[in-house]
Amino acid sequence: MSGKETTSSAGDDSPGTRGGGGGGGSGGSSAASTEKQREKARVSRTSLILWHTHQNDASVVRKLLEEDRSLVAARDYDSRTPLHVASLHGWIDVAKCLLEHGADVNSQDRWKNTPLADAEGAKKHSMIELLKSYGGLSFGQNGSHFEPRPVPPPLPSKCDWEIDPSELDFSTSAVIGKGSFGEILRAFWRGTPVAVKRILPSLSDDRLVTQDFRHEVNLLVKLRHPNIVQFLGAVTERKPLMLITEFLRGGDLHQFLKEKGSLSPSMAINFALDIARGMAYLHNEPNVIIHRDLKPRNVLLVNSNADHLKVGDFGLSKLIRVQNTHDVYKMTGETGSYRYMAPEVFRHRKYDKKVDVFSFAMILYEMLEGDPPLASYEPYEAAKHVSEGMRPTFRSKGLLPDLKELTEQCWATDMNRRPTFLDILKRLEKIKENLPQEHHWGIFTP
């Protein structure tokens, strides 16, 4: 699931999983090193304060606020402040530091929740008392929004996709993924292998986590495409909450590339076509779905033959109704994974569906070169350099010029110059037609 802080659990490329910049150097540190630390703080001050708040690092939070008091009002892409994060986790020392530096005790996030409402929902009693002593009020300043009745299912009425948990067989289950809010397991449903995203029981009553879960279910219910992971059902009326999708035996593209290295032009093109088909479906207007976390780990191989790919993991996706083809949306806050992140997202600028095109370009580069983009840099540093104009360097001698040109256009700094996925499909098909006959795949089966 996606988090409500900048600490999403999307792997080591995610905005919340990198180390912070709060460690102190020795007195003899060079001026260049000091300047580098200052530059890093300037580039992502919002992420730093949110990250160290989440880590319960009161000393670094205090240091950051002393350097820049305005950080006390920093907000992530869901308009959550450091005080929201501290209140949810019950970090008293961090909360006191924030309040002493002028944090708005009644600031409201995207869902109009105050820090006190978060503390009440997480049952952090000491935090509740602290916030109340500073004049903290609950949701909308009109009383707590956490009600004793259970959270309703994602849709208002009983749905045909609601699964009875007794039908899920975990006797031979295996964990295939983990995150801050739960885990993904391979299990069986009515004799069929499935992937089950299971929310941690301790978080099943957390309103923010539940809201995120409901969002992903509501999104997946609408999707039907051969290059999109198929939604099978969900458990929403009992605990723990679970989301069930088809189980794909081939693993993810990240692991495949790690084992295989660079792909042949024909295989890279066919993989790219599958990804682009799925993304063209998601970007279809007027109901555009921006994935926002397109990366090799979220592209799955249907089987061990590696002849068919599907796009998955929609925890960070947003469903937008387009009013105008050139609409730009205010969805800021380093959402997604740093190594594949578009520069406008890293810089907290307004962006549109072309952020997915940029991520696609980075994946295409990785398929052609065999190494992740800017592999010599840590994920955060790579994203920082990309935001400053740097791009990966092509090294393969046999690289097709047309593929190189397409990749470079897809990662253009100006998002308006990036092609749409429909344009990408047309160009990939043309490149494929011009390959020597022996490079062609036959019609592959899912």
Side-chain angles (χ1 to χ4, degrees):
M1 308 303 296
S2 61
K4 286 294 171 287
E5 305 123 29
T6 54
T7 54
S8 72
S9 57
D12 60 359
D13 286 347
S14 301
T17 54
R18 61 179 175 83
S26 65
S29 296
S30 67
S33 176
T34 302
E35 180 57 31
K36 184 178 179 181
Q37 284 187 333
R38 288 176 180 168
E39 173 63 16
K40 185 170 182 176
R42 280 196 295 270
V43 170
S44 189
R45 298 177 307 156
T46 295
S47 290
L48 284 174
I49 190 76
L50 287 162
W51 167 248
H52 287 293
T53 298
H54 181 269
Q55 291 299 98
N56 194 21
D57 197 338
S59 62
V60 176
V61 170
R62 185 175 296 278
K63 182 171 181 256
L64 288 167
L65 291 173
E66 288 172 353
E67 293 173 354
D68 185 352
R69 196 179 184 92
S70 69
L71 290 178
V72 77
R75 291 180 181 266
D76 68 7
Y77 65 94
D78 284 321
S79 201
R80 291 171 55 72
T81 66
L83 189 57
H84 280 94
V85 178
S87 300
L88 180 66
H89 291 286
W91 304 147
I92 293 292
D93 290 341
V94 175
K96 284 181 177 178
C97 176
L98 292 166
L99 289 165
E100 288 168 4
H101 283 80
D104 180 1
V105 72
N106 289 317
S107 59
Q108 295 180 326
D109 62 14
R110 182 158 66 92
W111 299 276
K112 306 300 181 185
N113 299 335
T114 61
L116 178 55
D118 284 352
E120 289 176 337
K123 297 180 174 63
K124 304 296 181 182
H125 301 295
S126 297
M127 182 63 71
I128 292 170
E129 293 305 314
L130 173 65
L131 295 171
K132 285 183 176 179
S133 72
Y134 276 83
L137 300 172
S138 202
F139 170 66
Q141 303 183 11
N142 288 316
S144 176
H145 64 303
F146 289 97
E147 301 176 7
R149 65 175 180 270
V151 176
L155 297 181
S157 58
K158 180 74 174 180
C159 303
D160 56 6
W161 45 258
E162 180 72 31
I163 289 177
D164 186 334
S166 66
E167 296 182 348
L168 293 167
D169 179 7
F170 292 97
S171 60
T172 58
S173 66
V175 176
I176 56 179
K178 285 190 174 183
S180 300
F181 298 96
E183 57 189 358
I184 302 176
L185 305 99
R186 179 184 62 81
F188 286 86
W189 175 53
R190 299 179 182 177
T192 301
V194 293
V196 179
K197 181 180 285 189
R198 184 167 64 184
I199 303 302
L200 294 174
S202 60
L203 294 174
S204 289
D205 287 326
D206 186 293
R207 187 174 187 272
L208 301 178
V209 174
T210 304
Q211 216 164 16
D212 213 31
F213 173 84
R214 294 173 64 186
H215 165 78
E216 188 170 4
V217 170
N218 276 316
L219 194 64
L220 285 170
V221 167
K222 300 176 174 72
L223 304 183
R224 292 288 184 276
H225 190 274
N227 295 111
I228 299 295
V229 173
Q230 183 182 352
F231 169 79
L232 298 176
V235 177
T236 67
E237 297 181 343
R238 302 187 194 178
K239 300 174 188 175
L241 303 173
M242 290 183 277
L243 189 155
I244 297 90
T245 58
E246 62 179 324
F247 175 71
L248 304 180
R249 299 179 181 276
D252 62 45
L253 183 59
H254 168 79
Q255 188 61 35
F256 184 83
L257 294 175
K258 190 175 179 180
E259 295 172 0
K260 301 291 184 181
S262 61
L263 307 181
S264 66
S266 61
M267 179 173 279
I269 290 170
N270 279 286
F271 276 17
L273 279 167
D274 271 359
I275 298 170
R277 289 183 186 114
M279 293 308 302
Y281 167 76
L282 293 178
H283 284 192
N284 184 54
E285 297 178 4
N287 295 315
V288 176
I289 294 173
I290 305 177
H291 192 288
R292 302 204 302 174
D293 196 21
L294 187 60
K295 60 182 179 181
R297 289 186 188 275
N298 289 340
V299 177
L300 305 176
L301 283 70
V302 172
N303 53 47
S304 58
N305 295 329
D307 55 11
H308 191 53
L309 301 184
K310 295 194 177 193
V311 177
D313 200 331
F314 297 91
L316 291 176
S317 301
K318 294 293 182 185
L319 176 62
I320 304 294
R321 176 169 286 277
V322 173
Q323 303 296 332
N324 183 294
T325 303
H326 303 292
D327 279 353
V328 178
Y329 311 104
K330 180 70 172 176
M331 296 186 299
T332 56
E334 296 187 33
T335 305
S337 301
Y338 281 123
R339 197 172 295 282
Y340 306 89
M341 182 182 290
E344 60 268 25
V345 180
F346 184 83
R347 294 197 301 262
H348 294 243
R349 304 285 174 79
K350 292 182 179 180
Y351 59 86
D352 65 8
K353 61 185 180 181
K354 293 294 184 67
V355 298
D356 290 339
V357 175
F358 183 94
S359 300
F360 170 82
M362 301 300 253
I363 296 174
L364 183 53
Y365 170 88
E366 189 168 341
M367 292 193 294
L368 295 170
E369 292 290 326
D371 291 316
L374 301 179
S376 60
Y377 296 98
E378 290 298 315
Y380 172 85
E381 294 296 332
K384 176 179 176 293
H385 288 308
V386 165
S387 74
E388 295 167 346
M390 181 185 290
R391 294 294 183 271
T393 302
F394 288 98
R395 297 183 176 86
S396 298
K397 295 180 180 179
L399 181 66
L400 297 176
D402 288 345
L403 276 179
K404 180 175 182 290
E405 181 184 6
L406 175 61
T407 306
E408 290 173 339
Q409 289 179 4
C410 288
W411 68 34
T413 300
D414 182 356
M415 60 186 179
N416 294 315
R417 295 180 58 191
R418 299 172 201 159
T420 66
F421 276 108
L422 288 176
D423 292 331
I424 291 169
L425 281 171
K426 293 175 184 177
R427 292 177 62 176
L428 286 172
E429 291 286 4
K430 187 174 181 181
I431 295 171
K432 181 177 178 179
E433 288 174 6
N434 293 329
L435 282 176
Q437 186 63 37
E438 62 266 23
H439 287 301
H440 279 218
W441 286 0
I443 298 175
F444 46 81
T445 54

